[in-house]
């Protein structure tokens, strides 16, 4: 809205012609790589540094997109990235770091503004860790302190209770669980804070690729849960960041 | 097998002819009411008193089946019975009792042999009570002591922990839960005893008529859970009884 | 954790016996109404005033639960409440207010602490309003300022853009949409704030009772969306409140 | 109908015998390759040049079918064709062209009649491009001008608005989108023209292989959308061609 | 786009202030009825007269929306309208006509521009007629000549062949079919024209409320079919109209 | 084919003109009732007397269709017919008989040719009887001897074995079963004859309206089973008749 | 039943002791290979020569089972057999024949009794041939004359009509079709004979691995269709054989 | 509860400080391996020796967890373990045994207490054996006598009846079946004992990866069945053990 207002003023002042105004709107913020339009203004507009969803992309595509991003000085997060992809990215960005568990790479060119609150990332089992790590790395990349609490599922629920201090310290909680996905309900029953539930595709048989955990989480009787897509660690990390930011940022 | 052996001996001894033997096998154990063959030997063979699944039956059908059963002196349990059905049954069996929450009636002509162990029936919410009561009444009808622990779902999990003594006393546990159905996992995580999980159709939206709870229970990471059909309180009560009986019966 | 510590100190000081300590933990915080244990401490522990999910409950049950709650001076929100239920509740709580669109009643005995931020509640169509109102009333009941923006679905997307100021003012957004549910994605594509998506069961044919909208929202490419159950306006309102509270409360 | 009439006349005139008439109907238009009957009259009757759906066919099968088609001088489009298939086809048709993104090859022996109108092919993301290209190549093969507008999904909806001129120029629009599939609704909300929606299997988790996008598109509130099968780029291109042709053909 | 250009010119000329320009964009085209924003410019912008989807709306809502529409002189189509709704609408619009089979009412204040081509509406059985009529009435309302061909499903396929002249005359075809939905494939196999398939919820058992017909139509091997939502006669009529219009309009 | 040949000969002989030939094909075999085309030649062509699927038809429609059928002297079977429908049909056909369990009426104007073989109709429970009776009445109406064997499901499998003579006598078997539907497998495991399995919608919870029984029957390890739609007693009866007829008809 | 009678007589006559009678029943008809009990009497009892479902079996298992079968002089059919399996089977049975399209091998040690009627096997497309061939080979192996009619799907329905003579000659019809599966309905609409429909998993997207074709076939409006499992060519061939046999066998 | 009581006493006696008490609860029972917290007390608390679900774990993870377990002298069961995993485990535990059919390894350091009753493990076909063996090995590992009865499915139901003695001897029964899963119903119809049903993913087409068998088992009309997840042999073995233990243990 602000941009339109400013443009209208420029038009009024004769600073630019009507045609120029229309053209500016249309041409400025993109550059064309042929198969993808990168929006350099996006980190401003959407408030998040650049993210590449690498799955279903070829290695050359990932490298080319990365190159365009770092040329602008942006921080870059590549999710669902194979080690092989990372190796090629490292050739053009030697400071790129690979997070094996999270299957992600990060390139930090600028220190992110840090949110004050802590995000707790909790998993039911060890098999849920890759999804949890994607969430954790995403949250850290976006400027959040993250505490991890893994393998505390309902089959051994006392483990969860013995780590209540982690849960108490956190401002936002992410719970990743496959199989029956009941952990999210238990956690939400213990706290009065936003809980982001991530169903994982861990399981077999009637887990139907994460559907069972997804339905469990959607039907939770314990208020305060909202859910993202199956295995969507990135989404959970982003939502948690947007929520956590409301609690204010650290002084710099 | 025993019956066949005995028949073969009779045939051998000339006690009965081959034709008679064949006819006996065929004709003896049934009587024909036109629309249903009642098996008077069933309470012996299957070890359970007679049960009528009243849903989808007309009131006259239920009354007629009941009449045939009590003529033999059997105990009768009518499940999914409306109050209206009960009123008509009462006319031929004044000692029939109606269990409103369970939507069931019972006619006790003979005191059942009592099992030694206790069956605990647990629900997540108040809406799960009808299914739980069907299980409880079934178990009691078959000769079990039942302890009820209702409305202790994961949204307020401390309520469950404060009643651990009920869980400790029980030999078999039935857990009825709708919505996300996570309570069964939590209970099974706390004990080393058989847990019969009954998903209920309580819920809305993505609970899909109990499917969500069913999947949760089937996928439970906490070993020791087995599951019956959605809303199948009777099945849960019967399974729990068959298990509980293994622990021995009370002296009479 | 704090309570346990305190209890341990009392035990140490001989202030109470071990048996008393155990009993206290067990007996204090509940009272038994027969079919439901109301937790008077819950509003403290869980930070939310009392809420009754009236669907599947009888009118006498709702009235009795309400009576117990208001005796303690709590604020009460009854969701999925018929007008008939409300009429009976009003007899014991004349200050009860009925919100027809939201199918909810509220009893406010104490002014809630107000959060500073605004929650925007947005719907795609007019048929989504009941769910949206349940969310809005819930959020207001819990101490939030709510702005409503209804009937701005993607079929007439310019309506949404012409009301960007509402979206800009809000700190948290709730989007209720049935049919294809695409509105949540569009909104999340425009802002960098938490968006709570509520699929509604509005639609027919292949909308499958809200499943289509649910899947759309879970699969949204626009980061920042988390989803609650189909038609779960209450859940959306509660999550939005928990998030909004992180932005601080108004001075009193 | 015309053919039958003509045949009846010939029979009447004694031009052919009844037996000949019956035989002619039966034997003329096919030739038998053993595993597939190619219909040389099909391009006339159905108005489309020959198309081979190569998936699930062996390379020799594809080559043999191609050979039979080009012997008649037909234009040929092979969809879902691997590069390896193409290499073998090229040996018998050196003018065959491979379209890598579309996974298709074309052999043009005759210039197609060109339709006057333009078909716009739009995708939500870069991963939807293979399906979109299959649609685009099909439409071009059948005699249509195609304009491509890729990666303009609802996560960055302003990109779509800045390219409204493409949408304005087109007579028919094809929208390919996976994940939540909301782009089709947004486009249909902006125009009063036929929109062919193609759900793609792009996504993961609850996208269920394209089901989510399919349901979204079927439930679209924005009138004017009709849908083809998941990933069915060919179908979309053919439907768009049949529609576009109604607007008239270019003078030759 | 044109509007923005014009506004920019006015701003440039000082015809209006920047603030006025912004305000104008925002306030002009809507009027607020409280529960629904009617877009009087919509018939211009979207090219279709006003349509009310009456299902899930109350009678007073339908009447009020109708009143606002006819005040502007628009033609009105009310779909999924009960006879009762129609009676009330008739009180404010005595020229309203009710189409019983289609469950729709129409108010024609202005003769629509007529398209040159014919739309054929075909059904498999008699039970599919309500959906077919909704499509037919919609198409006629929007200015199309419609020919109906009902009850010609694949169980008696010769009936279809004996009416090939209707199919030959039509420029666009709508096929409504429930149960197995195969008719759409058969029709599309006979013609080289756009076929809009409407699955209907007619059937029982494994028809799953129209899902079977929907899947059949989406999977059709006969190219040229595109599909709308189950029972969505209106959508089929609108799509067919948009396509048919490409063939030109009649001279007036 | 025969008809076409004959027509060609007539054309050749000048017996009829080409135009007449075309017209004859088109106009002769139908008469138009407005909402349904009755095919008087169908009983000849398709070999079955006339059948009306009454569900989703109004009583006047059923009466009118019946009237047209009996005017030609055809036998009539009305399936899914309410008693109310029957009462009205009886007014025009006093010899109509109502089969309450089967929800069907029959009008026999001509004795059907009787097949030599016997069809056995078997059900698992008493609730499956309506579907079984629809099958039985259909088969009898078409000229078959039917033996019924009801309530012999796998929960009491010895009942089935004690009636093996019925199974032995039959040439074709129909098995109707809901819930788990296992009876069809058991029967097919015992015989080497065609078994038509009819899943019924009897059950609750995870029976999903007959889906469970349908899947069981489709997956049967016991060869020789083929399946019709859920609750499709008519279809089962018709298929069984077509099979049974292969065994020859009785001398008349 | 006959066996039991005979045994009873022997017992009566003192021919065998009761213990012997019981033992005989138990031990005679099986031999134990460790992982599978082969029933040498099965070809007698079930009337079909031996069949091995090779999928999910190891090559040594298949070879060993085959060896045991041919030792008894039985004919053997191995379905879902890889060429590799066949090569090993051939080492112990040099007269084994491999049917590549059907993925099956046959060993004929005895000429089967031939049924008089013809079975027609029809496919919609070329991709359905493997399933159709499994059906055809099975039927031939069991003693039936088979006529094949491939690639006559509804997309080119005139091809079907031009081969009506095949359909006319057949006594039973098998129709294999994937994608939309409509061919079964069309065929059943043309004939008054048993039609066995086999859905195939051919297709993509919303064909859901054959589910679409399965539902189409189950919902067919054209009476006379019964359905077997997806891709179950063997089942179709067996059912067709059992039906065809009712028409009598050829003189030998 | 006992532990808390004991701790309270220690606190009271000054045996430990409040801080120590809290710390003890928190730190004692776990040791941290980085990716998994092993609970050495679990075999005591949960009554089962240690079990590792190896699927989705790397070989080094499995080895490391095993090492930690055997250091404590626990018995270890590794399920879903590849032979390769076993080879590496054997290097640190030479007494480890691999059970090929069950895909499991066991390390027995202490003889388990043996339950008195027998568990029967029954399969429908040979393909169900891996799941059945997982159940059998689990049950044996936990201290149960197991009798196996394989390949006795409903397609050859007489095989089951000839082995009734196994069924008679058992105290608990496990039935593993894929495809239609009807065997569990048949077995439960014959006995009055707990039956644990395990659906297996054996099958194709409409078996949908075990869903068909799962639904069959859940819907069984024969009371006394409870169900575990698809392919969950371990769960079945554990549940059976917990039930069997109620019948008492053998004297040692």
């Amino acid at each position: 809205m602000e941009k339109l207002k400013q443009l209208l003023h420029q038009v009024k002042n004769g600073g630019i012609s009507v045609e120029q105004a229309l053209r500016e709107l249309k041409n400025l913020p993109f550059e064309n790589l042929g198969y993808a339009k990168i929006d350099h203004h996006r980190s401003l507009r959407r408030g998040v540094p650049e993210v590449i969803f690498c799955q279903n992309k070829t290695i050359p595509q990932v490298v080319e997109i990365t190159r365009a991003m770092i040329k602008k000085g942006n921080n870059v997060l590549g999710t669902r990235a194979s080690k092989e992809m990372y190796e090629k990215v490292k050739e053009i960005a030697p400071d790129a770091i690979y997070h094996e568990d999270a299957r992600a790479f990060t390139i930090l060119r600028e220190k992110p503004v840090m949110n004050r609150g802590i995000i707790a990332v909790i998993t039911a089992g060890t098999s849920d860790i890759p999804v949890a790590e994607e969430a954790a790395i995403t949250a850290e990349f976006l400027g959040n302190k993250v505490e991890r609490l893994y393998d505390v599922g309902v089959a051994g629920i006392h483990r969860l209770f013995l780590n209540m201090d982690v849960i108490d310290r956190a401002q936002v909680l992410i719970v990743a669980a496959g199989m029956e996905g009941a952990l999210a309900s238990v956690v939400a029953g213990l706290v009065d804070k936003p809980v982001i539930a991530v169903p994982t595709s861990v399981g077999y048989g009637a887990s139907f690729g994460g559907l069972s955990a997804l339905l469990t989480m959607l039907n939770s009787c314990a208020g305060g849960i909202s859910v993202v897509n199956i295995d969507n660690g990135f989404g959970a990390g982003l939502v948690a960041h947007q929520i956590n930011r409301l609690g204010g940022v650290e002084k710099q």
Side-chain angles (χ1 to χ4, degrees), chain A:
Chain A
M1 236 38 184
E2 210 41 47
K3 194 146 208 165
L4 181 59
K5 201 171 169 183
Q6 181 189 331
L7 249 160
L8 290 173
H9 275 295
Q10 281 182 292
V11 169
K12 190 182 184 72
N13 306 338
I16 59 170
S17 70
V18 166
E19 285 69 30
Q20 271 179 311
L22 281 172
R23 226 175 310 127
E24 194 151 321
L25 264 166
K26 198 149 171 189
N27 296 325
L28 247 154
F30 296 105
E31 80 181 31
N32 202 328
L33 293 178
Y35 47 78
K37 286 170 187 138
I38 294 182
D39 183 354
H40 297 300
H41 291 227
R42 196 174 151 212
S43 68
L44 275 136
R45 190 181 47 83
R46 297 242 23 220
V48 300
E50 293 293 352
V51 178
I52 313 170
F53 181 71
C54 300
Q55 198 172 294
N56 297 327
K57 290 203 177 65
T58 63
I59 293 183
Q61 285 178 327
V62 169
V63 170
E64 199 168 346
I65 298 173
T66 305
R67 192 195 311 276
M69 285 169 168
I70 57 181
K71 219 164 73 188
K72 309 280 171 175
N74 286 334
N75 289 344
V76 180
L77 166 64
T79 63
R80 307 281 168 101
S82 64
K83 186 133 203 186
E84 211 185 336
M85 272 177 182
Y86 163 68
E87 299 295 357
K88 289 295 177 195
V89 165
K90 206 176 170 179
E91 289 176 10
I92 64 162
D95 56 335
I97 293 169
Y98 192 61
H99 308 266
E100 188 133 15
D101 280 341
R103 296 154 304 158
F105 67 82
T106 47
I107 304 170
L108 273 189
R109 293 286 153 97
E110 223 175 315
K111 206 190 156 306
V113 178
M114 292 303 290
N115 294 326
R116 262 210 305 263
I118 290 170
I119 295 173
V121 180
I122 304 172
T123 75
T126 54
S127 305
D128 304 314
I129 291 177
V131 176
E133 276 299 310
E134 188 179 291
I137 292 298
T138 299
E140 287 173 345
F141 172 77
L142 297 171
N144 298 277
K145 282 164 292 184
V146 173
E147 292 200 26
R148 288 153 172 89
L149 185 54
Y150 291 168
D151 197 24
V152 295
V154 294
I157 206 164
H158 61 293
R159 306 185 201 179
L160 178 68
F161 296 133
L162 295 174
N163 286 282
M164 281 299 291
D165 54 331
V166 175
I167 290 172
D168 287 344
R169 269 197 301 275
Q171 184 158 259
V172 189
L173 299 106
I174 293 171
V175 180
M179 306 285 289
E180 97 263 61
L183 182 63
S185 286
V186 175
V187 169
L190 294 169
V191 299
D192 187 29
K193 301 167 179 179
V195 174
I196 315 300
V198 201
T200 72
S201 57
V202 169
Y204 59 93
S207 77
F208 297 125
L211 180 62
S212 169
L214 171 62
L215 293 180
T216 302
M217 288 163 169
L218 285 169
N219 283 288
S220 177
C221 319
I225 295 180
S226 59
V227 187
V228 296
N229 196 1
I230 297 165
D231 289 337
N232 190 2
F234 168 71
L238 174 54
V239 170
H241 159 68
Q242 288 177 334
I243 294 172
N244 197 30
R245 193 169 46 184
L246 296 181
V249 299
E250 295 193 340
K251 280 184 203 123
Q252 294 179 297

